Each structure stands twice: as C-alpha cells, then as structure tokens.
C-alpha cells in the first residue's frame, strides 16, 4: 500500500474502515502530501503484518485528529517521519502502540512539526513505550 494516496492534494476525507490490510507489510508514505485531508477512518486496519510506516501521514497539514489505537505495531521497525509536519494535528491516539527500545533509531522526526503555536497537542500513549 506504499504511496497509495500519495499527493492526493484535493482529498478531504477518507473512510477506509473496511479495507482488508491483513497481509500488508508496507504502508510507506501511504497518505503523504494529502494537504487538505481533514478526516480519515482507519479503524478497521489490521496492521499486524506491517513492518514499515515511514512517512505514512507526513505533510497531512489539515488533519486535526487521528485515532490509531487499533494499530498493532509490534512488527514495525521504521516510524520515521510518520507524522512530520501534520501542523493541525491536535489529537493523536497511539495508546496501543507497543514498541521496544531496540527500534529507537527508527523514530527520527516522527513527531516533528506536529504541534503549532495556536493549539495544544494531546496524545494518548502507554507509559511503557519508547517514543518520548
């Protein structure tokens, strides 16, 4: 599913809750550059086989809320740039992201530009992960 919606500039909402992603291994830059995307439903994504989420939501400037609490990221080794420059993102639920310290080198720029001066960024996160 690499680059599936890459640079879909005028896309404003997506409901992908019924996508079968059970055998997907790569979600690299899947929504990258979707500048006007305000709403996305990925609640049905089965990410248990995914190993790479590099830049998955990068440059989604208009996205304000993202619930990834259903994501199984136990096999993901690359989170780099995952949310980079999501300027409008005020809420991010990654509560069920379970990682190990051995993957920390692959978190580079994951949250860069996610918080702006006008809004307070809120996130849901377990205490036992290594993102912060």
């Amino acid at each position: 599913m690499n680059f599936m919606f890459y640079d879909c500039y005028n896309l404003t909402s997506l409901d992908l809750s019924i996508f079968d992603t059970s055998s997907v291994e790569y979600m690299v830059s899947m929504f990258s550059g979707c500048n006007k995307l305000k709403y996305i439903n990925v609640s049905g994504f089965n990410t248990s086989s995914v190993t790479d989420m590099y830049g998955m939501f990068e440059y989604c400037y208009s996205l304000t809320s993202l619930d990834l609490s259903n994501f199984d990221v136990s096999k993901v080794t690359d989170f780099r740039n995952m949310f980079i420059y999501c300027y409008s993102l005020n809420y991010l639920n990654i509560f069920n992201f379970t990682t190990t310290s051995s993957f920390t080198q692959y978190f580079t720029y994951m949250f860069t530009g996610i918080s702006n001066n006008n809004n307070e960024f809120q996130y849901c996160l377990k205490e036992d992960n290594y993102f912060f």
Side-chain angles (χ1 to χ4, degrees), residues 60-77:
C60 289
Y61 302 132
S62 302
L63 201 56
T64 58
S65 179
L66 194 52
D67 185 351
L68 306 180
S69 59
N70 62 306
F71 275 32
D72 174 354
V73 296
S74 58
K75 292 183 181 175
V76 177
T77 59

Side-chain angles (χ1 to χ4, degrees), residues 69-122:
S69 59
N70 62 306
F71 275 32
D72 174 354
V73 296
S74 58
K75 292 183 181 175
V76 177
T77 59
D78 195 347
F79 292 100
R80 289 175 297 158
N81 295 11
M82 189 169 180
F83 308 105
I84 194 168
Y85 302 127
C86 290
Y87 296 124
S88 300
L89 196 58
N90 295 323
Y91 177 78
L92 176 63
N93 188 337
I94 53 175
F95 187 77
N96 288 318
F97 274 37
T98 303
T99 62
T100 64
S101 61
S102 63
F103 295 141
T104 56
Q105 69 268 26
Y106 299 109
F107 292 149
T108 310
Y109 305 116
M110 185 174 181
F111 299 104
T112 299
I114 204 169
S115 177
N116 65 38
N117 295 330
N118 300 322
N119 298 299
E120 187 174 321
F121 178 64
Q122 298 176 0

